[in-house]
Each structure stands twice: as structure tokens, then as C-alpha cells.
Amino acid sequence: VLTLFAGVSLALAAVGIYGVISYSVAKRTKEFGIRIALGAQPGAVRNLELARGLALTAAGLVLGIGGAYVLTRFLTTFLFGVPANDPTTFAGVAALLALVAAAASYIAARRATQVDPLVALRAE
């Protein structure tokens, strides 16, 4: 039962990460269109957004792992056969969430670079 709940919470976290990054990119779509209209290559704009998304992901992972490491000492009485600070679990969850965040950043940034620059310029 706990494994099921952990899986559901991990899936919710993945969907939440994708939603936040996708919303952030959607709010800046006009900016990307203007950049492309002024001569920026779509690949450079995509890489800029990827770097931004991965920087936010790295900051979130550092804070999340640090907080989880501190808070797991309160869960030691509920764990049987697994140490409270299991590095395999921490690394696996962090890697999975980083992979989801990278995919979300790439998909959202790719979609934003496909905007027509003329439409973005007319909107301003």
C-alpha cells in the first residue's frame, strides 16, 4: 500500500513539474517570438529555455533532497529493513524527477520556438 501511495505521489510530482515548466514557457512565448524575429536561432532560444528549466530543477532537487534528508529522521520508527537515508532511493527519485523536468523543459521550449514571429510582433 505504501509503495502504491509513493508511486502515485511521484506521478503527481511529475505532472506538477511538467505543468509548472509548461506554464512558465507559455507565458514567455511572445518573448521567444520576438527574439526569433530579431534574428535569434530557434535552437539557441530552445537551449536558453532548457538551461533555465534545468537550473530550476537543480535548485529544487538540492532543496528537496536536503529537506528530505533532514525530515527522514522522524520516519525511522515506520521503516523496517530500509535505512531512513537510503541513498539509492534518494538518487532514484531525484534522477526520475530530473528526467521528467528535462523532458518537460524540452517539449515546452520546442513548442515555444515554433511560434510565428509575425504573430508575436503584432501582439505587442
Side-chain angles (χ1 to χ4, degrees), residues 2 20 57 104:
L2 288 177
V20 167
T57 301

Side-chain angles (χ1 to χ4, degrees), residues 3-118:
T3 303
L4 178 68
F5 286 147
V8 168
S9 67
L10 190 60
L12 285 173
V15 169
I17 289 171
Y18 177 78
V20 167
I21 291 175
S22 183
Y23 178 74
S24 171
V25 171
K27 294 297 279 185
R28 297 178 60 204
T29 300
K30 291 179 185 175
E31 173 193 341
F32 296 143
I34 292 170
R35 285 178 185 252
I36 292 170
L38 292 176
Q41 296 295 324
V45 173
R46 183 182 60 240
N47 291 341
L48 175 73
E49 187 56 36
L50 274 173
R52 182 176 175 270
L54 293 178
L56 288 172
T57 301
L61 285 175
V62 167
L63 290 173
I65 289 173
Y69 188 79
V70 169
L71 294 175
T72 53
R73 65 186 175 126
F74 298 115
L75 298 175
T76 55
T77 58
F78 299 112
L79 300 174
F80 301 103
V82 178
N85 296 322
D86 184 26
T88 306
T89 303
F90 277 69
V93 170
L96 180 64
L97 290 177
L99 182 67
V100 167
S105 294
Y106 178 77
I107 292 168
R110 189 185 63 181
R111 187 180 60 227
T113 58
Q114 293 174 349
V115 70
D116 185 15
L118 292 177

